[in-house]
Amino acid sequence: MSTVTEIISPRFGSQQINPLRGPREGGTLVTIRGENLGLDFREIQGNVKVAEVDCTPIREGYIPAEQIVCEMGRAEMSQYTGNVQVCVGVGACRPEFMAKSSKYYYFVIPRITRLKPSRGPVSGGTIVNITGSHLDAGSNVSVMFKDQPCTYLRRGGQWLTCRTHASPHGYGNISVSVSIDKAQLQKDLQFEYVEDPTITKIEPEWSIYSGHTPVTVTGTNLDIIQTPLIRAKYNNHETLN
């Protein structure tokens, strides 16, 4: 009596490789989802390549049979694109246990060109927009204002935004650097911390009860306020305008 062993080949789900672009310097965490992606972490260790570059599986991101998270190694300048390859098993790879994605992974060169605004209050809170290209590539972005992070908010292909913290160095110009995974984006960007805005006079100092009175506020550095608001309080009732 003969027995037939069913070979269950790994395969990828549609739209289940993320991200599909990253810097050549590596460090990108690539998430691969599919079916039959091994039942034990040992079965996929050393068996994942993305665009012909070794991608090291991370144990914490592994879901047996369903998901692999791996960290990209460094690519050569001659390498541009390629598919994702996973071989399941311990030892030499057998063709029937190899899966290749239909989607391609691309190596790109993220660049930064400018930031706006280029100045803000020393107490922080400024929303800074940095423009460039391929800024949505990779898995992790970091913006540093000298030795202090600027809190990342969101990004697209040609922009990313972050919120400044209070300056620990006081007033003056500081250097701004951006990294995407292990890629350090080269550009001499500067941001100036200036004195917080002050108010010296409000005209007029009165208003009719129903409102609609134009108010002029005079002070210093008022131009660096991104979202000006005036709060009025009367008989425990507050309004924002």
PDB file of all heavy atoms in Angstrom, residues 138-154:
ATOM      1  N   GLY A 138      10.424  53.103   2.985  1.00  0.00           N
ATOM      2  CA  GLY A 138      10.917  52.521   4.225  1.00  0.00           C
ATOM      3  C   GLY A 138       9.846  52.354   5.273  1.00  0.00           C
ATOM      4  O   GLY A 138       8.650  52.555   5.031  1.00  0.00           O
ATOM      5  N   SER A 139      10.271  51.991   6.471  1.00  0.00           N
ATOM      6  CA  SER A 139       9.325  51.678   7.548  1.00  0.00           C
ATOM      7  C   SER A 139       9.406  52.633   8.722  1.00  0.00           C
ATOM      8  O   SER A 139       8.487  52.705   9.534  1.00  0.00           O
ATOM      9  CB  SER A 139       9.570  50.249   8.054  1.00  0.00           C
ATOM     10  OG  SER A 139      10.915  50.094   8.503  1.00  0.00           O
ATOM     11  N   ASN A 140      10.511  53.402   8.834  1.00  0.00           N
ATOM     12  CA  ASN A 140      10.660  54.267  10.002  1.00  0.00           C
ATOM     13  C   ASN A 140      11.360  55.562   9.613  1.00  0.00           C
ATOM     14  O   ASN A 140      12.348  55.553   8.884  1.00  0.00           O
ATOM     15  CB  ASN A 140      11.477  53.568  11.094  1.00  0.00           C
ATOM     16  CG  ASN A 140      11.607  54.418  12.343  1.00  0.00           C
ATOM     17  OD1 ASN A 140      10.627  54.726  13.012  1.00  0.00           O
ATOM     18  ND2 ASN A 140      12.840  54.815  12.660  1.00  0.00           N
ATOM     19  N   VAL A 141      10.815  56.685  10.097  1.00  0.00           N
ATOM     20  CA  VAL A 141      11.414  57.984   9.813  1.00  0.00           C
ATOM     21  C   VAL A 141      11.741  58.676  11.128  1.00  0.00           C
ATOM     22  O   VAL A 141      11.010  58.550  12.108  1.00  0.00           O
ATOM     23  CB  VAL A 141      10.472  58.857   8.956  1.00  0.00           C
ATOM     24  CG1 VAL A 141       9.165  59.124   9.665  1.00  0.00           C
ATOM     25  CG2 VAL A 141      11.146  60.178   8.583  1.00  0.00           C
ATOM     26  N   SER A 142      12.866  59.398  11.146  1.00  0.00           N
ATOM     27  CA  SER A 142      13.286  60.123  12.344  1.00  0.00           C
ATOM     28  C   SER A 142      13.754  61.513  11.933  1.00  0.00           C
ATOM     29  O   SER A 142      14.521  61.662  10.981  1.00  0.00           O
ATOM     30  CB  SER A 142      14.423  59.375  13.046  1.00  0.00           C
ATOM     31  OG  SER A 142      14.954  60.146  14.106  1.00  0.00           O
ATOM     32  N   VAL A 143      13.266  62.533  12.651  1.00  0.00           N
ATOM     33  CA  VAL A 143      13.683  63.912  12.411  1.00  0.00           C
ATOM     34  C   VAL A 143      14.320  64.428  13.699  1.00  0.00           C
ATOM     35  O   VAL A 143      13.715  64.376  14.765  1.00  0.00           O
ATOM     36  CB  VAL A 143      12.494  64.811  12.016  1.00  0.00           C
ATOM     37  CG1 VAL A 143      12.982  66.224  11.708  1.00  0.00           C
ATOM     38  CG2 VAL A 143      11.746  64.232  10.817  1.00  0.00           C
ATOM     39  N   MET A 144      15.547  64.929  13.598  1.00  0.00           N
ATOM     40  CA  MET A 144      16.271  65.427  14.760  1.00  0.00           C
ATOM     41  C   MET A 144      16.569  66.910  14.591  1.00  0.00           C
ATOM     42  O   MET A 144      17.070  67.349  13.559  1.00  0.00           O
ATOM     43  CB  MET A 144      17.578  64.656  14.947  1.00  0.00           C
ATOM     44  CG  MET A 144      17.406  63.169  15.209  1.00  0.00           C
ATOM     45  SD  MET A 144      16.582  62.832  16.782  1.00  0.00           S
ATOM     46  CE  MET A 144      17.820  63.439  17.942  1.00  0.00           C
ATOM     47  N   PHE A 145      16.224  67.681  15.626  1.00  0.00           N
ATOM     48  CA  PHE A 145      16.623  69.080  15.695  1.00  0.00           C
ATOM     49  C   PHE A 145      17.834  69.139  16.619  1.00  0.00           C
ATOM     50  O   PHE A 145      17.700  69.141  17.832  1.00  0.00           O
ATOM     51  CB  PHE A 145      15.474  69.930  16.225  1.00  0.00           C
ATOM     52  CG  PHE A 145      14.459  70.313  15.180  1.00  0.00           C
ATOM     53  CD1 PHE A 145      13.967  69.376  14.286  1.00  0.00           C
ATOM     54  CD2 PHE A 145      14.003  71.606  15.088  1.00  0.00           C
ATOM     55  CE1 PHE A 145      13.047  69.706  13.315  1.00  0.00           C
ATOM     56  CE2 PHE A 145      13.081  71.974  14.122  1.00  0.00           C
ATOM     57  CZ  PHE A 145      12.597  71.026  13.228  1.00  0.00           C
ATOM     58  N   LYS A 146      19.008  69.121  15.996  1.00  0.00           N
ATOM     59  CA  LYS A 146      20.276  68.950  16.693  1.00  0.00           C
ATOM     60  C   LYS A 146      20.260  67.600  17.404  1.00  0.00           C
ATOM     61  O   LYS A 146      20.273  66.571  16.757  1.00  0.00           O
ATOM     62  CB  LYS A 146      20.568  70.103  17.652  1.00  0.00           C
ATOM     63  CG  LYS A 146      22.030  70.197  18.057  1.00  0.00           C
ATOM     64  CD  LYS A 146      22.346  71.447  18.861  1.00  0.00           C
ATOM     65  CE  LYS A 146      23.815  71.502  19.206  1.00  0.00           C
ATOM     66  NZ  LYS A 146      24.158  72.727  19.975  1.00  0.00           N
ATOM     67  N   ASP A 147      20.212  67.563  18.749  1.00  0.00           N
ATOM     68  CA  ASP A 147      20.222  66.281  19.452  1.00  0.00           C
ATOM     69  C   ASP A 147      18.865  65.958  20.071  1.00  0.00           C
ATOM     70  O   ASP A 147      18.773  65.122  20.964  1.00  0.00           O
ATOM     71  CB  ASP A 147      21.313  66.284  20.534  1.00  0.00           C
ATOM     72  CG  ASP A 147      21.225  67.506  21.448  1.00  0.00           C
ATOM     73  OD1 ASP A 147      20.274  68.307  21.289  1.00  0.00           O
ATOM     74  OD2 ASP A 147      22.108  67.669  22.303  1.00  0.00           O
ATOM     75  N   GLN A 148      17.811  66.607  19.584  1.00  0.00           N
ATOM     76  CA  GLN A 148      16.481  66.400  20.144  1.00  0.00           C
ATOM     77  C   GLN A 148      15.500  66.019  19.038  1.00  0.00           C
ATOM     78  O   GLN A 148      15.500  66.635  17.970  1.00  0.00           O
ATOM     79  CB  GLN A 148      16.000  67.681  20.833  1.00  0.00           C
ATOM     80  CG  GLN A 148      14.601  67.584  21.424  1.00  0.00           C
ATOM     81  CD  GLN A 148      14.261  68.795  22.258  1.00  0.00           C
ATOM     82  OE1 GLN A 148      14.441  68.803  23.467  1.00  0.00           O
ATOM     83  NE2 GLN A 148      13.768  69.843  21.615  1.00  0.00           N
ATOM     84  N   PRO A 149      14.660  64.989  19.259  1.00  0.00           N
ATOM     85  CA  PRO A 149      13.726  64.588  18.204  1.00  0.00           C
ATOM     86  C   PRO A 149      12.615  65.608  17.994  1.00  0.00           C
ATOM     87  O   PRO A 149      12.217  66.316  18.908  1.00  0.00           O
ATOM     88  CB  PRO A 149      13.161  63.257  18.732  1.00  0.00           C
ATOM     89  CG  PRO A 149      13.307  63.339  20.220  1.00  0.00           C
ATOM     90  CD  PRO A 149      14.554  64.129  20.462  1.00  0.00           C
ATOM     91  N   CYS A 150      12.166  65.689  16.748  1.00  0.00           N
ATOM     92  CA  CYS A 150      10.965  66.436  16.392  1.00  0.00           C
ATOM     93  C   CYS A 150       9.882  65.381  16.216  1.00  0.00           C
ATOM     94  O   CYS A 150      10.049  64.436  15.434  1.00  0.00           O
ATOM     95  CB  CYS A 150      11.197  67.215  15.101  1.00  0.00           C
ATOM     96  SG  CYS A 150       9.812  68.248  14.561  1.00  0.00           S
ATOM     97  N   THR A 151       8.796  65.478  16.964  1.00  0.00           N
ATOM     98  CA  THR A 151       7.791  64.413  16.987  1.00  0.00           C
ATOM     99  C   THR A 151       7.165  64.223  15.612  1.00  0.00           C
ATOM    100  O   THR A 151       6.505  65.121  15.075  1.00  0.00           O
ATOM    101  CB  THR A 151       6.690  64.721  18.012  1.00  0.00           C
ATOM    102  OG1 THR A 151       7.283  64.851  19.307  1.00  0.00           O
ATOM    103  CG2 THR A 151       5.653  63.610  18.053  1.00  0.00           C
ATOM    104  N   TYR A 152       7.388  63.026  15.027  1.00  0.00           N
ATOM    105  CA  TYR A 152       6.858  62.713  13.695  1.00  0.00           C
ATOM    106  C   TYR A 152       5.338  62.654  13.724  1.00  0.00           C
ATOM    107  O   TYR A 152       4.736  62.071  14.626  1.00  0.00           O
ATOM    108  CB  TYR A 152       7.434  61.377  13.211  1.00  0.00           C
ATOM    109  CG  TYR A 152       6.689  60.777  12.050  1.00  0.00           C
ATOM    110  CD1 TYR A 152       6.789  61.326  10.773  1.00  0.00           C
ATOM    111  CD2 TYR A 152       5.871  59.658  12.228  1.00  0.00           C
ATOM    112  CE1 TYR A 152       6.102  60.777   9.710  1.00  0.00           C
ATOM    113  CE2 TYR A 152       5.180  59.103  11.162  1.00  0.00           C
ATOM    114  CZ  TYR A 152       5.301  59.668   9.913  1.00  0.00           C
ATOM    115  OH  TYR A 152       4.613  59.125   8.861  1.00  0.00           O
ATOM    116  N   LEU A 153       4.697  63.264  12.716  1.00  0.00           N
ATOM    117  CA  LEU A 153       3.243  63.268  12.636  1.00  0.00           C
ATOM    118  C   LEU A 153       2.741  62.414  11.466  1.00  0.00           C
ATOM    119  O   LEU A 153       2.008  61.454  11.678  1.00  0.00           O
ATOM    120  CB  LEU A 153       2.724  64.711  12.491  1.00  0.00           C
ATOM    121  CG  LEU A 153       3.039  65.640  13.677  1.00  0.00           C
ATOM    122  CD1 LEU A 153       2.551  67.053  13.374  1.00  0.00           C
ATOM    123  CD2 LEU A 153       2.407  65.113  14.963  1.00  0.00           C
ATOM    124  N   ARG A 154       3.127  62.732  10.245  1.00  0.00           N
ATOM    125  CA  ARG A 154       2.678  61.963   9.079  1.00  0.00           C
ATOM    126  C   ARG A 154       3.591  62.296   7.900  1.00  0.00           C
ATOM    127  O   ARG A 154       4.396  63.219   7.955  1.00  0.00           O
ATOM    128  CB  ARG A 154       1.222  62.270   8.738  1.00  0.00           C
ATOM    129  CG  ARG A 154       0.904  63.732   8.568  1.00  0.00           C
ATOM    130  CD  ARG A 154      -0.591  63.973   8.450  1.00  0.00           C
ATOM    131  NE  ARG A 154      -0.889  65.399   8.324  1.00  0.00           N
ATOM    132  CZ  ARG A 154      -1.027  66.230   9.334  1.00  0.00           C
ATOM    133  NH1 ARG A 154      -0.883  65.783  10.570  1.00  0.00           N
ATOM    134  NH2 ARG A 154      -1.306  67.506   9.128  1.00  0.00           N
TER     135      ARG A 154
END
